[in-house]
Amino acid sequence: MDRKPDDDILNAVGPRLRALRRDRGITLADLAATTGVSESTLSRLESGQRRATLELLLPLARTYDVPLDDLVGAPRTGDPRIHLKPIRRSGMIFVPLSRRPGGVHAFKMIIPARPEPLEPTPQTHEGYEWLYVLSGRLRLVVGERDLTLPPGEAAEFDTSSPHWLGTADGGVVELLILFGQQGLRSHVRTDRPSWHSSDASRS
């Protein structure tokens, strides 16, 4: 007997939940404490041994701050618009442009204007990043290199080297940026003094 499409959707929920939790850097114990769902139930849900129900998915959707449809991978219908939620961290604004858990994440990043530009505070983390300057003048410090990127220029770098991003002249800077799980946790999910990256090569 052929499997029903609904069965395929439900069977994919567990791996999707596991990828989302790991992407956010959350342990099962932390998730259990936040949602009120037992650690064993969450583990069985992620492994596919427990069938997803609305009662289980609702607290997870609230905790991850994602639509319920994203957890089950349901096809989108009706309004095709994407309602983006800006994330503010350490004075920076990140607008998520990608919605699926895991893999590479795309963000629009906005560095606000400042009366006086900040002094660089380079940091490191695992991963690799790519950026493209949309407007303003970006100051990018990577290792020993101190670069100024005008609109239309791009850079890619290994983030294991000390790196830092900021405004070069005190004006607003807008850029597109791609990074993986480690970069997501470093820049968006935790409090940092500012935004950073490494080993840059200009394209």
Side-chain angles (χ1 to χ4, degrees):
M1 189 176 188
D2 292 339
R3 294 173 62 186
K4 297 179 180 179
D6 287 351
D7 290 337
D8 292 334
I9 291 176
L10 289 174
N11 289 335
V13 170
R16 184 175 291 107
L17 290 174
R18 181 184 292 112
L20 183 57
R21 178 177 59 79
R22 290 177 175 174
D23 185 49
R24 301 293 178 87
I26 301 173
T27 66
L28 280 173
D30 291 338
L31 189 59
T34 303
T35 62
V37 180
S38 72
E39 190 173 341
S40 61
T41 297
L42 291 170
S43 177
R44 287 186 288 123
L45 185 61
E46 289 187 357
S47 66
Q49 298 175 11
R50 174 71 180 265
R51 182 59 70 96
T53 65
L54 189 61
E55 182 181 7
L56 293 174
L57 293 179
L58 280 176
L60 291 171
R62 283 194 295 268
T63 297
Y64 292 134
D65 193 24
V66 298
L68 190 59
D69 285 353
D70 281 8
L71 296 185
V72 299
R76 297 187 180 277
T77 58
D79 190 346
R81 293 173 296 178
I82 297 175
H83 303 285
L84 303 175
K85 282 189 174 182
I87 300 168
R88 299 176 185 273
R89 288 291 184 274
S90 303
M92 310 289 185
I93 301 172
F94 299 85
V95 181
L97 303 177
S98 56
R99 299 168 60 85
R100 295 297 178 188
V104 175
H105 292 259
F107 281 79
K108 179 180 180 181
M109 178 183 172
I110 302 171
I111 302 174
R114 300 185 60 86
E116 295 183 6
L118 292 172
E119 285 300 313
T121 53
Q123 298 189 21
T124 64
H125 59 82
E126 296 179 11
Y128 201 81
E129 298 182 12
W130 177 94
L131 61 84
Y132 177 86
V133 181
L134 296 170
S135 64
R137 294 172 60 80
L138 175 72
R139 183 180 181 186
L140 172 63
V141 176
V142 181
E144 299 298 321
R145 303 186 67 182
D146 192 334
L147 308 171
T148 297
L149 279 64
E153 289 207 346
E156 56 182 356
F157 41 87
D158 178 348
T159 57
S160 63
S161 297
H163 57 275
W164 179 87
L165 282 79
T167 172
D169 55 13
V172 176
V173 183
E174 297 187 6
L175 57 150
L176 295 177
I177 193 153
L178 303 178
F179 47 71
Q181 295 182 10
Q182 293 293 337
L184 181 67
R185 284 196 286 272
S186 295
H187 298 319
V188 180
R189 299 297 167 191
T190 61
D191 292 330
R192 294 275 184 172
S194 67
W195 218 92
H196 321 308
S197 266
S198 86
D199 226 351
S201 66
R202 298 171 67 174
S203 16

